[in-house]
Amino acid sequence: MPAKPMPETTTGTDTGTGTGTGTDGNVPAEAVAPLIRGIAVLRELTEANGTLSLSGLERATGLARSTVDRITATLARMGYVRFDGRDVHLSPRLMELGNAYLSALRLPALLSPHADALADELDESVSLAVADQDGIRFIHQATRRRAMSLSFRIGDLLPAERTAPGPLFATEWTASDWQRWRDRRAADPRDLSFTAVPPRTHRPDARDDDAFVRRTEEASANGWSLDDQLIEPGLVAISVPVRAPGGDGRIASVASVVSHTSRHTAHDLRTTLLPRLRSTVEAMERELRDTPPPEPGPPPADLALWTGASKQQLGREFIESLARGLTVLTAFGEGREELTLTEVARATGLARATARRALITYEHLGLVAPAGRTFTPTPRVLSLGFPPLSRTTLSEIAQPHLADLTSRIHESTSLAVLSDSGEEIQFTARVTTARVMSVHITVGTRLPAYATALGRVLLADTRDDGALASVRSQGYALVDEELEEGLRSIAVPIRDRSGRVVAALNTALHASRRTPGECVTDLLPELTATATRIQTDFHTAARFTHVPPS
């Protein structure tokens, strides 16, 4: 593979590729150095698809190993990463940073239902993107599940000139924006800094630049833009701008229909799909125009107290300035898209001086943009772990929690969902314990729902059955030697953001090890606490993405 250009986490200024942190001599004097280094670690983990060894992070960031250890320990304390041996994995809770940006933006909440409906109608993938300097960044994906399907993720950054939305956004570029684009093209001719797209096979020349200028002029004249296999052979897309309410008509987002040449040619997209896309965009623009601004949601609470307590508990291994700096991003959200310094300090509980230095750092890194007295998060916040985490599954979320639970109770644990028929359960995640006599079940195994504790928890949420009423009221199910002689199992529900039971968590053991009463007194509190932790991660991950069961 070709070598990746030196990341801006260690050299160079911020060129707009979305990969850098710009820690060169242009760093403001009041910037928070540990925060810059922490962002560098998160971005390297993101580019490595969510997992890197500690030594890999040391090499990728150029930081000392002791610094990497302290940063990852701090991030683990915040729930943003987890350790598996020597490897560091991004955790779903990190998505709260991207969720803060997407909530403040409002566009996904208002426009995604229209995009999803169009994808269902056309049976094609539909995406929403926003501008990120000279690139585009996805904020929503409604993909079709096929053998050959779209692999872009929410938060992925693409070069404007190789996309359908790019020319539309470029119609609003200033002279300095065009110069930034040319500088980036010269510095990274093969697009190696855009890890979501295949590298170019040739170095672009003046003809390529002229082609993008022409596409921009055509997009301005036509009101739509086309990608005819610019990213890779076979991929075609057509885009229409979604304009913000108000007199200036600026582009708030771009909606695209994406297909493959085996299904549609570029000409087909114009003649067949463009009218339906335009109709959907009109509905999106009405939604933006007619929906009143939301009431501000509750800001995070007692973050400064939490970071202080963590520092006192962990000592030198906890970098308080990094943790406090990251909490600043969570101050933004629904109804809090623009905040003054005072409002950020009030929302986080941080001192004004601490919040100010964090905002100066984020402005330098391109993660917030100032506008007079206020600050707004930028699309680049999504570069902090969102792309790899946006494709996570419930079983992947649950697996480390199951491992932790098994290590505490010394019994095998499982996650299961109802089958499509509703008559069986299917195991989607499992962690076994080392015993001479243990329950041997593999992921994918199906069992009769009514005969299992897992199944009764799942059925109790969907069936008005008198025998399941106690399961609903007590919040757990205990099955004692009904499925198999000597087998005892207790299970609790996993609920989605609406409160619906979507999975169940259990432990199963031989009846000789614990009585039914001991299962309730000893194991149920551990199961309930683990279910709560799984739900917290699940709800964070599912705020703006679809999280499948497995």
Side-chain angles (χ1 to χ4, degrees):
M1 291 180 63
K4 187 174 72 173
M6 283 294 290
E8 297 166 38
T9 54
T10 54
T11 65
T13 57
D14 189 354
T15 63
T17 62
T19 60
T21 56
T23 59
D24 66 348
N26 295 323
V27 176
E30 293 181 275
V32 184
L35 181 56
I36 292 176
R37 298 186 192 111
I39 294 296
V41 166
L42 289 174
R43 281 182 167 161
E44 291 297 341
L45 282 166
T46 301
E47 292 206 2
N49 207 33
T51 302
L52 263 181
S53 66
L54 287 165
S55 58
L57 277 171
E58 181 184 1
R59 289 190 300 270
T61 60
L63 298 171
R65 177 57 181 270
S66 59
T67 301
V68 170
D69 289 344
R70 293 181 64 212
I71 288 171
T72 52
T74 302
L75 295 173
R77 176 71 171 187
M78 299 183 76
Y80 288 172
V81 305
R82 63 178 177 84
F83 294 103
D84 183 6
R86 309 296 289 180
D87 290 336
V88 183
H89 301 264
L90 295 178
S91 294
R93 186 170 178 180
L94 177 61
M95 296 176 76
E96 71 182 12
L97 303 182
N99 287 346
Y101 161 72
L102 293 172
S103 297
L105 186 66
R106 290 188 71 202
L107 296 178
L110 295 179
L111 306 187
S112 294
H114 297 281
D116 294 345
L118 181 62
D120 290 339
E121 177 188 340
L122 301 180
D123 194 26
E124 298 289 354
S125 295
V126 176
S127 66
L128 295 171
V130 293
D132 189 347
Q133 293 195 357
D134 61 341
I136 70 139
R137 202 177 289 272
F138 292 111
I139 59 170
H140 182 71
Q141 291 281 0
T143 56
R144 302 293 90 186
R145 295 293 180 185
R146 296 195 179 99
M148 188 179 298
S149 61
L150 192 66
S151 62
F152 294 132
R153 306 160 300 185
I154 297 175
D156 273 338
L157 180 71
L158 278 63
E161 68 275 9
R162 294 178 66 184
T163 69
L168 292 165
F169 287 122
T171 62
E172 298 183 343
W173 285 2
T174 64
S176 61
D177 293 329
W178 281 102
Q179 187 58 51
R180 181 193 300 115
W181 171 73
R182 292 187 175 91
D183 291 342
R184 186 262 295 167
R185 296 262 286 174
D188 183 18
R190 295 192 59 206
D191 296 337
L192 297 180
S193 58
F194 293 90
T195 55
V197 298
R200 288 180 180 272
T201 57
H202 69 283
R203 187 182 184 94
D205 55 26
R207 290 173 298 178
D208 295 294
D209 289 359
D210 292 342
F212 183 58
V213 172
R214 286 195 303 273
R215 290 179 62 217
T216 301
E217 292 170 348
E218 291 169 358
S220 180
N222 297 332
W224 53 268
S225 181
L226 190 68
D227 165 10
D228 190 359
Q229 307 180 75
L230 293 171
I231 291 178
E232 66 178 17
L235 185 66
V236 290
I238 192 163
S239 298
V240 173
V242 182
R243 300 193 180 274
D248 60 358
R250 65 176 181 84
I251 298 175
S253 179
V254 168
S256 305
V257 177
V258 186
S259 188
H260 192 269
T261 50
S262 60
R263 295 174 59 83
H264 290 282
T265 65
H267 180 266
D268 288 339
L269 292 181
R270 292 195 303 271
T271 58
T272 306
L273 302 186
L274 179 58
R276 283 298 303 118
L277 177 58
R278 277 179 159 160
S279 177
T280 296
V281 165
E282 289 174 1
M284 290 178 175
E285 291 176 341
R286 285 196 298 272
E287 190 84 48
L288 293 180
R289 184 176 62 248
D290 298 341
T291 304
E295 292 294 324
D302 298 326
L303 292 174
L305 293 176
W306 179 87
T307 57
S310 297
K311 179 66 175 179
Q312 187 173 18
Q313 181 177 354
L314 299 182
R316 186 178 181 278
E317 293 305 303
F318 186 80
I319 307 174
E320 190 171 13
S321 58
L322 168 59
R324 290 191 167 186
L326 288 171
T327 65
V328 164
L329 290 176
T330 66
F332 299 93
E334 188 174 16
R336 303 193 309 276
E337 66 277 6
E338 294 184 0
L339 296 176
T340 64
L341 169 59
T342 299
E343 289 169 335
V344 170
R346 185 184 304 124
T348 58
L350 298 173
R352 276 176 54 91
T354 302
R356 178 175 174 272
R357 291 189 66 201
L359 290 168
I360 288 172
T361 306
Y362 285 136
E363 182 182 349
H364 169 65
L365 300 179
L367 293 165
V368 301
R373 295 178 58 251
T374 64
F375 297 86
T376 303
T378 72
R380 198 164 297 186
V381 174
L382 295 175
S383 70
L384 305 180
F386 214 89
L389 291 171
S390 69
R391 289 288 176 91
T392 193
T393 65
L394 180 54
S395 58
E396 291 170 338
I397 290 171
Q399 193 71 28
H401 295 289
L402 295 185
D404 183 58
L405 174 61
T406 295
S407 71
R408 293 198 310 274
I409 66 175
H410 307 291
E411 302 288 355
S412 299
T413 57
S414 303
L415 190 80
V417 298
L418 272 181
S419 65
D420 292 339
S421 69
E423 301 300 323
E424 295 177 310
I425 62 165
Q426 181 173 0
F427 288 84
T428 58
R430 182 163 170 79
V431 175
T432 59
T433 189
R435 287 184 180 273
V436 174
M437 183 170 59
S438 60
V439 180
H440 293 290
I441 294 173
T442 59
V443 170
T445 297
R446 295 189 178 213
L447 294 174
Y450 208 88
T452 64
L454 289 162
R456 291 182 188 179
V457 165
L458 291 162
L459 292 172
D461 192 59
T462 60
R463 296 187 182 179
D464 188 14
D465 187 318
L468 297 173
S470 62
V471 174
R472 279 195 299 273
S473 62
Q474 67 192 14
Y476 71 91
L478 176 67
V479 170
D480 189 15
E481 303 189 74
E482 294 182 41
L483 180 66
E484 183 178 318
E485 187 175 351
L487 181 63
R488 188 165 288 152
S489 176
I490 186 169
V492 296
I494 304 292
R495 300 179 183 274
D496 65 13
R497 292 177 61 84
S498 69
R500 182 173 62 94
V501 176
V502 294
L505 165 69
N506 91 323
T507 184
L509 61 150
H510 193 270
S512 63
R513 292 207 285 271
R514 281 185 173 89
T515 66
E518 289 171 336
C519 287
V520 174
T521 57
D522 299 346
L523 299 180
L524 180 59
E526 294 281 3
L527 285 169
T528 302
T530 299
T532 298
R533 286 190 281 270
I534 293 172
Q535 284 179 171
T536 298
D537 283 353
F538 177 36
H539 295 173
T540 300
R543 179 98 182 260
F544 292 102
T545 68
H546 171 64
V547 179
S550 61

